[in-house]
Amino acid sequence: MLMRVWSVFYRPIFVSLFLLYAQHSSATLVANIKEFDKIVPTLKPGGEVVLANGDWNNVELVFKANGSAAKPITLRAEEPGKVFITGQSNLRLSGEHLVVSGLVFKDGYTPTSEVISFRTSKKDLANHSRVTNTVIDDFNNPERFNSDTWVAIYGKNNRFDRNSLLNKRNRGVTLAVKMNTEASRENEHIIEYNYFGPRQILGSNGGETLRIGTSHYSRKFSNTVVRKNFFDRVNGEHEIVSNKSCGNTYQDNVFFESQGTLTMRHGHYTLVENNYFLGNRKPNTGGIRIINENQTVKNNYLYGLTGHRFRGALVIMNGVPNGPINRYDPVVDSRMDGNIVIDSDYIQLCAGSDEERSATPIGSSMHDNIMMSKTNLNPFTVYDDISGISFQGNILNDEARVPINAGFSKVPYAITKNKHGLLVPSQSLTDKIAFGDIKLPVTREDTGASFYSKNHTEASFTGGNTIVVNAGTNTLLDALEQSQPGDTLVLKNGAKYLLTKNAFIRHPITIKAKKGKKAKILSEKASFFTIENGGALALDNLWIDGAESPDLAGNNVVSTSRYSMTHNYSLAVRNCKVTGLDVNHSFDFLKVYMGTFADSIEIVDTEMTNITGSVLALDKETEDLGIYNVENVLIKNSTFTDVKGTVANIYRGGTDESTFGPMVTVTGSEFVNIGHGKRNKSGASLAFHGVQRLNVSDSRWAKSAPLDLHLTNGEPITVISDILMKDTGKIRANSNKYQANDVIYK
Ligand code: CA
């Protein structure tokens, strides 16, 4: 039964407010989806449907109505932030002059391919409508690579403002402007004051935070305005923003410690003005990438960006002459003027130049930019003919090298913190390029849903309790079951811990022994530890021994969940000894499954001996779709002896260029008798396929299979130095595009 809204609001203190309110609207409070469905068709201009506070589980809200400019129709929460849309749920709206506000989507995911959709069918679109003060948080399909879009804006003249979108973990664009029919083009949408909160590394294409258009309709105009949004640690992939249509404006946005760039991937006549990119020297943070025609990039401030190649601070690409619509159009008549770049590493001109991308920029300019950087004194990379770019009035610090002489002047490096806390060059210089006040155009606090926290941090290894665990059978298991995120379990020096059941790691946990004799862990199960979704594991000063492991093929010490994991995990092994993983064949140290992704895996100050499988088998995404299993791997000051498989087999297949990793460092380590097992298909001691950054240094091999390099897409950086290989095959590589300094074979 429907209940008039005043019955809820009727408290003496609200009487006068209510009377005012009642005169201007007819609001109906609904308590469930049946009531909602019944009331929606009756809504008249000025009407309101109010969702009662509480959980709305497994609801597909279809809000189809026609209001007017003077009297929109509203769907709102009884109280903002107290209506939770959970389970298999979504919201679709169509019609004219609609407003949605105050909802929170969490603890579930959409059964369709969109969470909030500005259409109810292919033909029924929303126009002149608004979604505001609404949250989508961690509303993810449990299958990491099942794709969905959180917000899809169709129609025309819509506004998406003051919403918080955070923790998207599965594949798919966070917010997309769709242009698949005429009725969704030249749309004049406004996207403003939104908080785009943390998005973890996806490890594949499809992790864009904002996309406008698609390649198919990219020569059409969208005319969307994106302004005053705060992008906070959005690290999904290398396109934070993927502009794929004409006539869009990006103004006054802040990109805070976000991996990737604002990319003008397709479409012309884009304006990128007065945006602030604060990389703060975090890895892979980038700026602005120009592709296509009549693009204007001016008056932007970029600080502390470390991204290289396509992820540089300022990038102007080469294009494909007369290429198909989904390839790179050449840069024509575009401006990169009046920007300030501080302590950033890479400015790339004619980036991507290759046999296919052979068209150099023409009719374009790079004028009046200030570039002050000591972090890389050779910031410019020129990949091709830059005669089609005019250079004028640019200012660099004395130490920096310049690609051409004309158009650049040098000044001493001088940076100070201004009253707004930003690092700036001298006023006289910024006056010279008429930059104006250097101040964030919007703060984190100015954006997002008013009621929702923007202080999100992921669970980590710190912040928990320290719990001493007594030696014995399953004492460690019991301690794990009772642990809280961030706890440290301290085992007794020299004591023995037996697991007779699989130990599940459900949150970040450290297991360690204090300095001194290692504590020993054995297991009677095929897997010692399984990292479940949300888990992360650090092992320190332990002796892990396979002596009690079952006589089965395919055992492991650590495994990921065998199901898809939406949360990235990490694994750290420090000061450990690993022995006797040899009861049967294919005993791995780490075994991962498809659909899992590690932000970081490290093995430091550790000794591993007698392993019939591999140490790190990170080669499960073999479909060559650009998906991979790990972002960062560190093997440092460690010794590996008698390993039948590989010490690391890292595979990133495909030619897609949307991601950063894997990034691998091997240093100060020793490999003895590695990789000779007949089941080691790679025939290598360490095999790196498609690794984007590889540093191998200061290490020794003896009686081992060779190091195998397969350099694929992008411009992988592979540097090998100070290594000695004794009775070991020579480095095998599919390409000689790597640097090998001081490799000695004996
Ligand atoms: Ca992409």
mmCIF file of all heavy atoms in Angstrom, residues 204-208 237-239 242 244 656 658, ligand 1:
data_model
loop_
_atom_site.group_PDB
_atom_site.id
_atom_site.type_symbol
_atom_site.label_atom_id
_atom_site.label_comp_id
_atom_site.label_asym_id
_atom_site.label_seq_id
_atom_site.Cartn_x
_atom_site.Cartn_y
_atom_site.Cartn_z
ATOM 1 N N SER A 204 44.490 -5.159 -17.892
ATOM 2 C CA SER A 204 43.915 -5.427 -19.213
ATOM 3 C C SER A 204 43.360 -4.117 -19.750
ATOM 4 O O SER A 204 43.174 -3.157 -19.002
ATOM 5 C CB SER A 204 42.792 -6.458 -19.064
ATOM 6 O OG SER A 204 41.874 -6.358 -20.134
ATOM 7 N N ASN A 205 43.069 -4.088 -21.040
ATOM 8 C CA ASN A 205 42.285 -2.996 -21.593
ATOM 9 C C ASN A 205 40.896 -3.038 -20.959
ATOM 10 O O ASN A 205 40.474 -4.078 -20.465
ATOM 11 C CB ASN A 205 42.190 -3.176 -23.114
ATOM 12 C CG ASN A 205 41.641 -1.945 -23.821
ATOM 13 O OD1 ASN A 205 41.482 -0.878 -23.227
ATOM 14 N ND2 ASN A 205 41.350 -2.104 -25.088
ATOM 15 N N GLY A 206 40.171 -1.920 -20.978
ATOM 16 C CA GLY A 206 38.811 -1.926 -20.432
ATOM 17 C C GLY A 206 38.732 -1.360 -19.028
ATOM 18 O O GLY A 206 37.739 -1.557 -18.343
ATOM 19 N N GLY A 207 39.773 -0.640 -18.616
ATOM 20 C CA GLY A 207 39.767 -0.045 -17.276
ATOM 21 C C GLY A 207 39.687 1.475 -17.316
ATOM 22 O O GLY A 207 40.145 2.142 -16.407
ATOM 23 N N GLU A 208 39.090 2.024 -18.398
ATOM 24 C CA GLU A 208 38.979 3.480 -18.506
ATOM 25 C C GLU A 208 38.026 4.021 -17.438
ATOM 26 O O GLU A 208 37.024 3.388 -17.111
ATOM 27 C CB GLU A 208 38.434 3.884 -19.884
ATOM 28 C CG GLU A 208 39.251 3.397 -21.071
ATOM 29 C CD GLU A 208 38.860 1.999 -21.556
ATOM 30 O OE1 GLU A 208 38.054 1.330 -20.879
ATOM 31 O OE2 GLU A 208 39.381 1.582 -22.611
ATOM 32 N N GLU A 237 43.769 1.629 -16.214
ATOM 33 C CA GLU A 237 44.607 1.342 -17.384
ATOM 34 C C GLU A 237 45.217 2.659 -17.847
ATOM 35 O O GLU A 237 45.092 3.674 -17.172
ATOM 36 C CB GLU A 237 43.774 0.704 -18.493
ATOM 37 C CG GLU A 237 42.672 1.614 -19.011
ATOM 38 C CD GLU A 237 42.384 1.409 -20.491
ATOM 39 O OE1 GLU A 237 43.138 1.936 -21.313
ATOM 40 O OE2 GLU A 237 41.400 0.712 -20.799
ATOM 41 N N HIS A 238 45.827 2.675 -19.036
ATOM 42 C CA HIS A 238 46.558 3.889 -19.386
ATOM 43 C C HIS A 238 45.692 5.014 -19.956
ATOM 44 O O HIS A 238 46.151 6.120 -20.105
ATOM 45 C CB HIS A 238 47.767 3.578 -20.275
ATOM 46 C CG HIS A 238 47.458 3.439 -21.708
ATOM 47 N ND1 HIS A 238 48.405 3.581 -22.693
ATOM 48 C CD2 HIS A 238 46.292 3.175 -22.324
ATOM 49 C CE1 HIS A 238 47.815 3.416 -23.874
ATOM 50 N NE2 HIS A 238 46.568 3.159 -23.674
ATOM 51 N N GLU A 239 44.418 4.750 -20.242
ATOM 52 C CA GLU A 239 43.512 5.843 -20.578
ATOM 53 C C GLU A 239 42.625 6.136 -19.371
ATOM 54 O O GLU A 239 41.702 5.379 -19.075
ATOM 55 C CB GLU A 239 42.622 5.465 -21.766
ATOM 56 C CG GLU A 239 43.365 5.312 -23.071
ATOM 57 C CD GLU A 239 42.456 4.814 -24.184
ATOM 58 O OE1 GLU A 239 41.843 3.741 -24.020
ATOM 59 O OE2 GLU A 239 42.369 5.492 -25.206
ATOM 60 N N SER A 242 39.246 8.459 -22.130
ATOM 61 C CA SER A 242 39.368 8.058 -23.523
ATOM 62 C C SER A 242 38.368 8.878 -24.327
ATOM 63 O O SER A 242 37.178 8.581 -24.354
ATOM 64 C CB SER A 242 39.082 6.556 -23.639
ATOM 65 O OG SER A 242 39.295 6.128 -24.952
ATOM 66 N N LYS A 244 36.653 9.855 -27.502
ATOM 67 C CA LYS A 244 36.459 9.192 -28.794
ATOM 68 C C LYS A 244 35.327 9.828 -29.585
ATOM 69 O O LYS A 244 34.502 9.118 -30.173
ATOM 70 C CB LYS A 244 36.192 7.694 -28.579
ATOM 71 C CG LYS A 244 37.419 6.925 -28.058
ATOM 72 C CD LYS A 244 37.205 5.424 -28.064
ATOM 73 C CE LYS A 244 38.518 4.681 -27.862
ATOM 74 N NZ LYS A 244 38.340 3.230 -27.856
ATOM 75 N N ASP A 656 47.780 -5.464 -27.534
ATOM 76 C CA ASP A 656 47.085 -4.308 -26.994
ATOM 77 C C ASP A 656 48.049 -3.443 -26.176
ATOM 78 O O ASP A 656 48.927 -3.950 -25.497
ATOM 79 C CB ASP A 656 45.951 -4.826 -26.104
ATOM 80 C CG ASP A 656 45.237 -3.706 -25.418
ATOM 81 O OD1 ASP A 656 44.385 -3.106 -26.064
ATOM 82 O OD2 ASP A 656 45.552 -3.425 -24.257
ATOM 83 N N SER A 658 47.240 -1.030 -23.779
ATOM 84 C CA SER A 658 46.474 -0.272 -22.786
ATOM 85 C C SER A 658 47.009 -0.353 -21.368
ATOM 86 O O SER A 658 46.429 0.246 -20.475
ATOM 87 C CB SER A 658 45.043 -0.793 -22.735
ATOM 88 O OG SER A 658 44.498 -0.807 -24.004
HETATM 89 CA CA CA B 1 41.650 1.509 -23.316
#
